[in-house]
């Protein structure tokens, strides 16, 4: 059964990836907004923002931009799922001898691949803007692992509206709060500059710990408990979102 599942998922993953390669504007559009934000914050606001860390502002805010890149990219996952649901693709594959969840997993893995490509594009632009890191291989692998977990967690969240939304706009609109969340964190300014109620929220929401962990890894600084809190948030969101998404999927195809 597992061999059947992996084979079916691989074939359907190839189908989804071919769709993306035929319309590369999806990845380009996903990367444009974070890049525009990065340019605006560094060259327009960066000189007026004090981070108190002695590092360049592009180094300070890049982790938040990476999370925004993922949050904007998963909207396309919900959109593609919605279009497949409306087009009857799921029912068509269910009538064939394929593993029931392979169609869903193909979309999830496609989202992971597409978002990783967008992240690489954003990183390259950040390097051109002056981002520098002396982090070693282990630190870079840790950053990559956190971003992969974060992408999977948000992708499974995207699956839920992709399967249950009534309109195309509703399928992708859920990502807007996720894109806005880094602005209420330590992504762009230190949280100690915020009013007390907002600072309490910012210090205890998932984006702050994830941003702080990535920033410390890039800067070769001790990560402390931030990395464990970040991993806890990512894994916790992933497990809960996966459970809700699979339950929604079973109800849809039953």
């Amino acid at each position: 059964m597992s061999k059947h599942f992996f084979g079916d998922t691989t074939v359907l993953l190839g189908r989804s990836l071919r769709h993306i390669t035929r319309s590369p504007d999806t990845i380009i559009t996903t990367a444009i907004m974070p890049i525009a934000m990065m340019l605006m914050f560094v060259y327009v606001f960066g000189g007026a923002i004090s981070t108190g860390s002695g590092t360049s502002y592009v180094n300070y805010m890049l982790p938040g931009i990476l999370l925004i890149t993922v949050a904007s990219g998963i909207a396309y996952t919900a959109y593609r799922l919605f279009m497949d649901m409306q087009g009857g693709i799921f029912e068509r594959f269910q009538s064939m001898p394929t593993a029931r969840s392979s169609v869903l997993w193909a979309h999830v893995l496609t989202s992971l691949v597409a978002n990783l490509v967008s992240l690489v594009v954003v990183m390259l632009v950040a390097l051109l803007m002056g981002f520098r890191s002396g982090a070693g291989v282990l630190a870079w692998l840790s950053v990559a692992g956190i971003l992969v977990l974060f992408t999977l967690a948000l992708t499974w969240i995207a699956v839920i509206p992709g399967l249950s939304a009534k309109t195309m706009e509703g399928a992708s609109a859920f990502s807007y709060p996720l894109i806005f969340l880094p602005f209420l964190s330590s992504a762009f300014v230190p949280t100690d500059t915020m009013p007390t109620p907002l600072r309490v929220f910012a210090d205890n929401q998932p984006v702050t710990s994830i941003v702080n962990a990535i920033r410390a890894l890039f800067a070769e600084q001790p990560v402390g408990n931030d990395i464990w809190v970040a991993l806890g948030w990512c894994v916790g969101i992933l497990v809960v979102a996966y459970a809700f998404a699979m339950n929604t999927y079973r109800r849809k195809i039953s």
Side-chain angles (χ1 to χ4, degrees):
M1 180 65 182
S2 60
K3 182 179 179 181
H4 188 50
F5 165 78
F6 287 118
D8 291 342
T9 301
T10 301
V11 171
L12 294 172
L13 173 61
R15 165 187 172 268
S16 296
L17 290 176
R18 282 192 297 273
H19 286 173
I20 289 182
T21 57
R22 290 168 184 167
S23 57
D25 56 300
T26 298
I27 294 177
I28 294 172
T29 304
T30 300
I32 281 177
M33 186 183 70
I35 290 172
M37 285 185 180
M38 188 161 54
L39 291 169
M40 181 178 65
F41 273 93
V42 171
Y43 295 125
V44 179
F45 302 134
I49 298 176
S50 174
T51 62
S53 60
T55 60
S56 66
Y57 190 60
V58 66
N59 280 35
Y60 183 87
M61 52 91 73
L62 179 60
I65 291 294
L66 295 177
L67 300 193
I68 288 176
T69 303
V70 175
S72 60
I74 60 167
Y76 286 97
T77 302
Y79 168 77
R80 288 190 295 266
L81 269 170
F82 175 80
M83 295 305 292
D84 274 0
M85 288 293 295
Q86 295 300 305
I89 297 296
F90 280 80
E91 290 82 358
R92 193 176 308 166
F93 281 121
Q94 290 302 318
S95 66
M96 300 168 63
T98 58
R100 292 171 65 86
S101 60
S102 58
V103 185
L104 195 59
W105 271 101
H107 277 282
V108 170
L109 295 176
T110 300
S111 171
L112 180 60
V113 173
N115 278 289
L116 289 178
V117 172
S118 296
L119 288 170
V120 170
V121 172
V122 171
M123 283 293 304
L124 291 175
V125 174
L127 288 170
L128 292 175
M129 293 173 61
F131 169 75
R132 295 294 182 268
S133 172
V137 174
L138 184 59
W140 278 97
L141 290 176
S142 298
V143 170
I146 293 172
L147 291 174
V148 167
L149 275 176
F150 183 75
T151 302
L152 286 173
L154 263 61
T155 297
W156 281 107
I157 292 177
V159 167
I160 300 170
L163 293 173
S164 58
K166 303 300 183 183
T167 65
M168 181 178 65
E169 292 76 13
S172 56
F174 83 98
S175 65
Y176 298 153
L178 299 177
I179 293 172
F180 184 70
L181 199 58
F183 292 96
L184 304 178
S185 73
S186 63
F188 300 103
V189 295
T191 58
D192 57 14
T193 64
M194 301 176 181
T196 301
L198 182 56
R199 183 174 70 247
V200 171
F201 172 79
D203 285 339
N204 294 281
Q205 61 124 317
V207 170
T208 292
S209 58
I210 297 171
V211 163
N212 289 345
I214 294 175
R215 186 180 292 138
L217 289 166
F218 278 149
E220 300 178 283
Q221 296 175 350
V223 294
N225 291 327
D226 280 324
I227 191 167
W228 302 115
V229 176
L231 291 174
W233 273 113
C234 289
V235 173
I237 294 171
L238 174 58
V239 170
V240 173
Y242 174 80
F244 274 97
M246 292 304 295
N247 182 57
T248 303
Y249 180 62
R250 283 192 289 267
R251 285 191 286 105
K252 281 290 182 179
I253 65 174
S254 60

